[in-house]
Amino acid sequence: MEKKIGIINRQAPHGSSTAREALDLTLAMSAFNESLSIFFIGDGVYQLLAKHQADFILQKDFQPMLQMLELYDVEQIYVCQDSLSVRNISVEQLVIKTTLLSTDEINEYLQQQHQLMSF
């Protein structure tokens, strides 16, 4: 049985390297594990918004790499619906296709993982 691994994204996309490191790890792990889930919770939902304009703060824009998740067969991408609502973000504003889950559903999915990595 393959180990279920969950990667939790809680940080805004810029200001630190955390979001980029989580994405790099996700893409690398996808080659070895088919049971990989990604969760965007809290400020992590900002990573999924279009047009970050990272060059204004002298950061490299990693958002195009989000599009690669599909190419790497990472299909279990979950977003906290409550986190979107609190931040007045609609699903139409997200740059990739995701599955919306309530906070309770997110917690259920997290409990199903064998290993969690939080960024």
Side-chain angles (χ1 to χ4, degrees), residues 21-36:
E21 290 169 359
L23 182 57
D24 287 344
L25 177 67
T26 301
L27 294 174
M29 289 187 71
S30 69
F32 303 103
N33 191 317
E34 291 182 16
S35 189
L36 185 62

Side-chain angles (χ1 to χ4, degrees), residues 1-8 29 32-39 76 78 108-117:
M1 181 168 97
E2 191 162 36
K3 201 175 205 182
K4 291 183 178 183
I5 298 175
I7 298 175
I8 305 169
M29 289 187 71
F32 303 103
N33 191 317
E34 291 182 16
S35 189
L36 185 62
S37 299
I38 308 169
F39 300 89
Q76 298 175 56
Y78 304 107
E108 288 176 29
Y109 277 68
L110 291 174
Q111 289 177 14
Q112 295 172 11
Q113 307 303 308
H114 294 113
Q115 186 172 1
L116 292 170
M117 293 177 225

